[in-house]
Amino acid sequence: MRFGAHLPLIDFDGSGIASLAGYVDAAREAGFSAISANDHLVFQRPWLDGIVALSSVVDRSADLTLATTVALPVVRGPVALAKAAAALDALSGGRFVLGVGPGSSAADYDAAGVPFEERWPRFDDAVRVLRASLTHDPAPAAERFYVTPALEPRPARPVPIWIGSWGSAAGLRRVARLGDGWLASAYNTTPGQISAGRDLLHQALASAGRDTSPFPIALATMWTYLTDSAAESRTRLDALARMLGRDPAALADQVLIGPADVCAAKLARYADAGVDEVFIWPVADPIAQLRRFGTSVIPHLS
């Protein structure tokens, strides 16, 4: 299992955003293989723009993969996102992975002036535009919502496009049809759902005449806080549950909050279910948490 780290884009408690450069340094030194950024225009907490944040650490990232997990092409516009993705791939020397999803927040769509109820057909069209702009695929024959201009400079290699899905049958058929990898959501997908989803995904890939290997399965937005204190675990979990609007008891099994050995055991179940890479997101003390994760978790699962 490989590990990526979400950039600390959220100001969880009003203390501000952690140093992105220091965070990337810590991730690299702790044994992480990737850095990622997520996308929201509006959120319950202050949220730093993911594309800008990712671009700011390209030089600091050394040989780490850079990824969006996920970006919102319908909200941002697929042509603008393709332009940014091509730039990130060029500036990183071909280390960029474009993860995309339709997004689940109507507030983002309202802010962008796009009807939320049109997100699915728009998303399918948007991914086709992205693929035509970032790979060698031809432009879509029929475009309902967008046009595909000839963007320059084009990427020197096809940029991988991973599709976000919580694991529904329809979502996994979309992943197989449009994507180069599946990005699952950690706090919305159990190991059992990953295992069942992997089988559905492989069936859909086979039906589409596509190879099932290699086809990466990654788990994004794995909220994390390693601590041996039961009281601190409850405090962090309760705060996260309030932010997400979730039941803390139900959320506890799907995040990495608590002792390192317990969290490593959770990750092992995801690995057994078929997950290749997990992107963690510390909910506090992000740089210290990356270092602790590197010494107490990664060695047991790498």
Side-chain angles (χ1 to χ4, degrees):
M1 178 177 276
R2 300 182 307 279
F3 294 95
H6 291 281
L7 287 174
L9 304 179
I10 300 176
D11 183 359
F12 284 98
D13 57 8
S15 60
I17 303 293
S19 164
L20 298 187
Y23 186 85
V24 172
D25 288 345
R28 190 179 59 251
E29 294 162 4
F32 287 80
S33 61
I35 290 291
S36 71
N38 291 45
D39 217 1
H40 273 298
L41 295 185
V42 292
F43 195 66
Q44 297 95 319
R45 301 284 193 278
W47 186 300
L48 200 63
D49 183 81
I51 296 291
V52 173
L54 202 58
S55 67
S56 76
V57 298
V58 170
D59 288 344
R60 204 79 178 213
S61 62
D63 61 348
L64 298 179
T65 296
L66 303 175
T68 53
T69 52
V70 296
L72 306 176
V74 178
V75 171
R76 286 189 177 266
V79 174
L81 181 57
K83 190 73 173 177
L88 281 167
D89 195 62
L91 294 172
S92 66
R95 290 183 286 118
F96 181 62
V97 173
L98 178 61
V100 294
S104 59
S105 171
D108 283 329
Y109 280 78
D110 289 343
V114 179
F116 186 61
E117 62 274 10
E118 292 182 1
R119 66 192 182 282
W120 290 112
R122 282 182 177 270
F123 179 70
D124 285 359
D125 273 12
V127 174
R128 295 186 186 99
V129 171
L130 290 170
R131 186 163 291 283
S133 300
L134 298 173
T135 72
H136 303 299
D137 285 11
E143 295 171 299
R144 178 179 173 188
F145 297 104
Y146 309 107
V147 296
T148 306
L151 297 181
E152 295 291 346
R154 295 180 64 83
R157 51 110 203 197
V159 174
I161 299 175
W162 292 3
I163 306 295
S165 171
W166 290 2
S168 69
L172 291 169
R173 288 194 297 271
R174 180 176 287 106
V175 173
R177 186 174 69 251
L178 298 175
D180 303 307
W182 172 24
L183 270 171
S185 171
Y187 69 102
N188 292 296
T189 318
T190 65
Q193 290 170 322
I194 289 286
S195 182
R198 179 185 58 180
D199 293 341
L200 287 172
L201 175 61
H202 287 180
Q203 292 169 16
L205 287 167
S207 296
R210 302 186 63 189
D211 195 355
T212 60
S213 179
F215 197 94
I217 298 174
L219 199 60
T221 326
M222 177 61 87
W223 307 105
T224 300
Y225 193 83
L226 303 180
T227 177
D228 293 322
S229 166
E232 190 171 26
S233 293
R234 285 193 298 273
T235 297
R236 299 298 181 189
L237 184 62
D238 287 347
L240 179 64
R242 285 194 299 272
M243 185 184 80
L244 300 174
R246 299 293 180 89
D247 173 38
L251 190 62
D253 288 336
Q254 291 172 260
V255 296
L256 303 180
I257 294 180
D261 59 338
V262 174
C263 293
K266 290 180 184 179
L267 288 168
R269 290 194 289 274
Y270 280 107
D272 290 342
V275 172
D276 304 299
E277 186 166 12
V278 175
F279 290 85
I280 72 161
W281 194 330
V283 298
D285 306 323
I287 293 174
Q289 281 291 309
L290 289 191
R291 291 173 176 154
R292 185 168 183 177
F293 195 91
T295 57
S296 58
V297 176
I298 289 180
H300 301 292
L301 291 157
S302 295

